[in-house]
Amino acid sequence: MSIRIGIYGYGNLGKGVELAIKQNPDMAAVGVFTRRPPEAVKTLTGIPVYSVSDAEKMKNEIDVMIICGGSATDLPTQTPTLAELFNVVDSFDTHAKIPQHAANVQAAAERAKTTAIISAGWDPGMFSLTRLYSSAVLPDGKDYTFWGKGVSQGHSDAVRRIDGVLDARQYTVPIESAVNAVRAGQTPDLSTSEKHERVCFVVADESADKARIEREIKTMPNYFADYKTTVHFISAEEMAREHKGLPHGGEVLRIGKTGVNGEHTHVVGYSLKLDSNPEFTASVLVACARAAARLNQEGVYGCKTLFDIPPIYLSAQNREDLLGKLL
Amino acid sequence: MSIRIGIYGYGNLGKGVELAIKQNPDMAAVGVFTRRPPEAVKTLTGIPVYSVSDAEKMKNEIDVMIICGGSATDLPTQTPTLAELFNVVDSFDTHAKIPQHAANVQAAAERAKTTAIISAGWDPGMFSLTRLYSSAVLPDGKDYTFWGKGVSQGHSDAVRRIDGVLDARQYTVPIESAVNAVRAGQTPDLSTSEKHERVCFVVADESADKARIEREIKTMPNYFADYKTTVHFISAEEMAREHKGLPHGGEVLRIGKTGVNGEHTHVVGYSLKLDSNPEFTASVLVACARAAARLNQEGVYGCKTLFDIPPIYLSAQNREDLLGKLL
């Protein structure tokens, strides 16, 4: 029988989940739950749309609810609340607040005997797994995480809020010389701003002072002030043509030493080049939904992360095939 | 209390395990078990040497036995036999025979209520994990595994058996154009010989016919006949100076599609550049020994692989730190 999935929230991530479910024959999408009027939402594949207020009624028709809200304001309340009713998966990605979020979700899921997998995606998610495996195997070593080249939604929004800016797209770009040094096995001390530069494409109002906009971007604290930042003013047409996608990616590296006197260097690298950040993240959430359903069936309740889950629980293939063909 | 490790077999891998244990403060090496006369073996760090026949007597002094024999003749019998007495870890790497080996070890470990982790290392091992995670997340995709640049012990031995060859080292080298095509998101059909070439360094007897040796190498079935093979004749001095190490590595790639019509391509890459193949493999075995000890304490018995183990069991760090700092 298929694993029946509910999709809670229908932005880019929710749409990605809908599409990812279609790639997994052991899964079925029950429908989308939205805060908007359901009749105003049309799904990509024609699955039904419900109001979020109908979710509770459908408790017995859904094996796992994938929560596709934002980390800033949605997930901190949605995930614990929904974990009282459903097995859930989320992509909570405010790294510093993960322990608190985990504690809140754990309390709810334990009470309700549900299984919740939080902070799934690629960072946190696949990148975190690489950091964990690599540091467990090479304890004498140093980690590096590079992000990009890719669109940062938060930085794009920050530029859009500047007076005279009609539209903006910000790319986070890893600094080539830094990446190459680490790939070569060196272990420089690098701050985030020494690892990345920021490239902005801006559509400005015709009457706006571009020099002022550029200055406001480059001096914006936290977002840009510490970084090498480049600003390109482009037309609305060029923005629509060249920057409509949401690509992202990055690379996690660990440089580790072994030997009698640390004379051998090992470089472990994990990289992602994603045409669509939300669709890849959604694909991780869907694999985690499979794991959540299985763990719950086995009586494993509470708040889990990818760190806690045997990898095999994510796969649709059976163990015999995996040991014979993939191991 | 430390996890007490026995090292069964003391070649390159066993030495690597001895060194890796020193990097892990939660572990202690009890000693080496050898088929040679113990007094003939001197360990790198001064840990005791015992005869393999003494292993059974030391059952209560060892939490995990790491078995460092070869896959061809040692491990198929050693791992099931030792799993009757100890929690064990091995690096069994004959891919086609893993299911049979797993079944043999499972029977022994279940009977004895021990925990056995087989086929740990990097391929099978870390590469397999990447293949599993990537295919679970991107079911509509294609996998590629490239090996090298690195020394293949089996191919080096095959060259050494040729008449007139005094010493030989064979490097497996991934074909750059093939790797780059896949990294760029293409999905060509590639046989193993279309992905790799073979480069041999040979020290020949002065009186030997080098043309004949080169011909015998290049036409050797299975090992070389299907591959682009290059043979370099060098002096014994150059061999000792330039080819004394055992570097290896490689790259696993998965190209996956998502979207309404598969319009988005994602490239997942995992690469290793290892100065010492046996020391890195040994480091994986030691992390797995930690997992074996923990699983056994929790009453999880039988034959496991990296696919079956929650990643967190490999790490010496506690869950709170991992969720707060690494996730």
Side-chain angles (χ1 to χ4, degrees), chain B residues 194-251:
Chain B
E194 287 167 327
K195 291 190 294 180
H196 303 92
E197 54 187 297
R198 304 200 172 280
V199 180
C200 305
F201 293 87
V202 177
V203 181
D205 189 277
E206 264 179 44
S207 62
D209 176 354
K210 290 181 179 172
R212 191 256 315 152
I213 290 175
E214 181 161 347
R215 200 168 53 240
E216 283 194 37
I217 294 173
K218 290 185 170 177
T219 58
M220 196 185 294
N222 303 320
Y223 285 86
F224 294 100
D226 299 335
Y227 293 83
K228 183 186 167 211
T229 300
T230 314
V231 178
H232 302 282
F233 289 95
I234 61 173
S235 66
E237 292 69 36
E238 185 176 339
M239 180 65 81
R241 195 177 63 238
E242 304 290 340
H243 304 283
K244 66 178 192 302
L246 291 169
H248 218 312
E251 189 164 356

Side-chain angles (χ1 to χ4, degrees), chain A residues 7 28 52 56 61 94 98 137 194 217 230 233 249-250 264-265 284:
Chain A
I7 303 170
V52 289
E56 184 163 2
E61 292 159 54
T94 312
I98 289 174
V137 168
E194 287 168 327
I217 295 173
T230 315
F233 290 95
H264 293 135
T265 297
V284 178

Side-chain angles (χ1 to χ4, degrees), chain A:
Chain A
M1 213 177 74
S2 290
I3 301 169
R4 301 165 303 169
I5 308 286
I7 303 170
Y8 200 90
Y10 197 63
N12 287 327
L13 188 60
K15 288 174 188 167
V17 168
E18 179 186 8
L19 296 173
I21 290 169
K22 281 194 63 177
Q23 294 187 320
N24 288 279
D26 61 335
M27 308 230 172
V30 173
V32 161
F33 296 84
T34 179
R35 287 178 288 207
R36 290 174 274 172
E39 59 279 10
V41 175
K42 206 178 159 326
T43 57
L44 289 172
T45 66
I47 59 170
V49 182
Y50 304 98
S51 164
V52 289
S53 59
D54 291 332
E56 184 163 2
K57 279 182 264 177
M58 296 180 65
K59 188 169 147 46
N60 295 323
E61 292 159 54
I62 290 168
D63 296 313
V64 184
M65 187 71 94
I66 300 183
I67 313 175
C68 299
S71 295
T73 56
D74 299 331
L75 299 177
T77 56
Q78 285 177 352
T79 309
T81 304
L82 289 165
E84 301 265 10
L85 300 166
F86 301 99
N87 301 314
V88 296
V89 176
D90 83 15
S91 63
F92 184 79
D93 67 357
T94 312
H95 289 261
K97 295 183 179 170
I98 289 174
Q100 184 56 55
H101 186 57
N104 296 344
V105 176
Q106 172 72 15
E110 262 191 325
R111 246 191 325 266
K113 296 199 172 178
T114 61
T115 307
I117 299 177
I118 63 159
S119 299
W122 57 275
D123 196 359
M126 306 313 292
F127 274 17
S128 323
L129 282 172
T130 305
R131 289 189 287 257
L132 174 56
Y133 280 118
S134 305
S135 64
V137 168
L138 295 171
D140 181 9
K142 194 164 170 178
D143 275 340
Y144 294 85
T145 301
F146 294 93
W147 295 281
K149 181 187 172 179
V151 174
S152 162
Q153 211 55 47
H155 286 79
S156 300
D157 290 344
V159 175
R160 280 191 207 102
R161 283 191 292 265
I162 293 174
D163 195 43
V165 171
L166 300 178
D167 197 4
R169 200 75 83 253
Q170 193 268 184
Y171 293 90
T172 304
V173 182
I175 293 174
E176 191 95 347
S177 58
V179 184
N180 287 339
V182 178
R183 280 185 191 148
Q186 295 172 34
T187 53
D189 286 316
L190 295 171
S191 65
T192 305
S193 64
E194 287 168 327
K195 290 191 295 180
H196 303 91
E197 54 187 300
R198 303 199 172 279
V199 180
C200 305
F201 294 88
V202 177
V203 181
D205 189 275
E206 265 180 42
S207 61
D209 176 355
K210 290 181 178 171
R212 192 255 315 152
I213 291 175
E214 180 162 346
R215 201 168 52 238
E216 283 194 35
I217 295 173
K218 290 186 171 177
T219 57
M220 196 184 295
N222 302 320
Y223 284 87
F224 294 100
D226 298 335
Y227 293 83
K228 183 186 166 211
T229 301
T230 315
V231 178
H232 302 283
F233 290 95
I234 61 172
S235 66
E237 293 68 36
E238 184 176 340
M239 180 65 81
R241 196 177 63 239
E242 304 289 341
H243 303 284
K244 65 178 193 302
L246 290 169
H248 219 313
E251 188 164 355
V252 173
L253 290 146
R254 187 173 181 88
I255 313 303
K257 305 280 184 185
T258 66
V260 175
N261 291 304
E263 67 274 21
H264 293 135
T265 297
H266 308 286
V267 181
V268 183
Y270 179 83
S271 68
L272 292 173
K273 273 196 299 183
L274 311 175
D275 271 358
S276 166
N277 182 358
E279 287 179 9
F280 185 83
T281 302
S283 297
V284 178
L285 297 183
V286 167
C288 286
R290 178 181 292 120
R294 290 178 177 174
L295 289 167
N296 191 260
Q297 277 199 324
E298 294 181 6
V300 180
Y301 309 132
C303 180
K304 307 292 172 191
T305 71
L306 279 164
F307 287 174
D308 306 302
I309 303 169
I312 203 166
Y313 280 68
L314 301 173
S315 175
Q317 294 181 68
N318 69 47
R319 186 169 183 268
E320 201 179 347
D321 283 349
L322 289 170
L323 260 58
K325 293 172 191 164
L326 227 71
L327 189 68

Side-chain angles (χ1 to χ4, degrees), chain B residues 66-79:
Chain B
I66 300 183
I67 314 176
C68 300
S71 295
T73 56
D74 298 331
L75 298 177
T77 57
Q78 285 176 352
T79 307

Side-chain angles (χ1 to χ4, degrees), chain B:
Chain B
M1 212 177 76
S2 291
I3 301 168
R4 301 165 303 169
I5 308 286
I7 303 169
Y8 199 90
Y10 197 64
N12 287 326
L13 188 59
K15 287 175 189 166
V17 169
E18 180 186 7
L19 296 174
I21 290 169
K22 280 194 64 175
Q23 294 186 319
N24 289 279
D26 61 335
M27 308 231 173
V30 173
V32 160
F33 295 84
T34 179
R35 288 178 289 207
R36 291 173 272 172
E39 60 279 9
V41 175
K42 203 175 159 329
T43 56
L44 289 172
T45 65
I47 58 170
V49 182
Y50 303 98
S51 165
V52 290
S53 59
D54 291 330
E56 185 164 0
K57 277 183 265 176
M58 295 179 67
K59 189 169 148 43
N60 295 323
E61 292 159 54
I62 290 170
D63 296 312
V64 185
M65 186 72 93
I66 300 183
I67 314 176
C68 300
S71 295
T73 56
D74 298 331
L75 298 177
T77 57
Q78 285 176 352
T79 307
T81 305
L82 289 165
E84 301 266 10
L85 300 166
F86 302 98
N87 301 315
V88 296
V89 177
D90 82 15
S91 63
F92 185 79
D93 68 357
T94 312
H95 289 261
K97 295 184 180 170
I98 288 175
Q100 184 56 56
H101 186 57
N104 296 344
V105 175
Q106 172 72 15
E110 264 191 322
R111 247 193 323 266
K113 297 198 172 179
T114 60
T115 308
I117 300 177
I118 63 160
S119 299
W122 58 275
D123 197 359
M126 304 315 291
F127 274 17
S128 323
L129 282 172
T130 305
R131 289 189 287 258
L132 174 57
Y133 280 118
S134 306
S135 64
V137 168
L138 296 171
D140 181 8
K142 195 165 169 178
D143 275 339
Y144 294 85
T145 301
F146 293 93
W147 295 279
K149 183 187 173 180
V151 174
S152 162
Q153 210 55 47
H155 286 78
S156 299
D157 289 344
V159 175
R160 280 191 207 103
R161 284 191 292 265
I162 293 174
D163 195 44
V165 171
L166 300 179
D167 197 4
R169 198 75 83 253
Q170 195 267 187
Y171 292 90
T172 304
V173 182
I175 293 173
E176 191 94 348
S177 58
V179 184
N180 287 339
V182 178
R183 280 185 191 148
Q186 295 172 34
T187 53
D189 286 316
L190 295 170
S191 65
T192 304
S193 64
E194 287 167 327
K195 291 190 294 180
H196 303 92
E197 54 187 297
R198 304 200 172 280
V199 180
C200 305
F201 293 87
V202 177
V203 181
D205 189 277
E206 264 179 44
S207 62
D209 176 354
K210 290 181 179 172
R212 191 256 315 152
I213 290 175
E214 181 161 347
R215 200 168 53 240
E216 283 194 37
I217 294 173
K218 290 185 170 177
T219 58
M220 196 185 294
N222 303 320
Y223 285 86
F224 294 100
D226 299 335
Y227 293 83
K228 183 186 167 211
T229 300
T230 314
V231 178
H232 302 282
F233 289 95
I234 61 173
S235 66
E237 292 69 36
E238 185 176 339
M239 180 65 81
R241 195 177 63 238
E242 304 290 340
H243 304 283
K244 66 178 192 302
L246 291 169
H248 218 312
E251 189 164 356
V252 174
L253 290 146
R254 186 170 181 89
I255 313 303
K257 305 281 185 185
T258 66
V260 176
N261 292 303
E263 66 275 21
H264 292 136
T265 298
H266 308 286
V267 181
V268 183
Y270 179 83
S271 68
L272 292 173
K273 274 196 298 183
L274 311 174
D275 270 359
S276 166
N277 181 358
E279 287 178 10
F280 184 83
T281 301
S283 297
V284 178
L285 296 182
V286 167
C288 286
R290 177 181 294 121
R294 290 178 177 174
L295 289 168
N296 191 261
Q297 276 199 324
E298 294 180 5
V300 180
Y301 310 132
C303 179
K304 307 292 171 190
T305 71
L306 279 164
F307 288 173
D308 306 301
I309 302 170
I312 203 166
Y313 280 68
L314 301 173
S315 175
Q317 294 181 68
N318 68 48
R319 186 170 184 268
E320 202 180 347
D321 283 349
L322 289 170
L323 260 58
K325 293 175 192 162
L326 226 71
L327 187 67

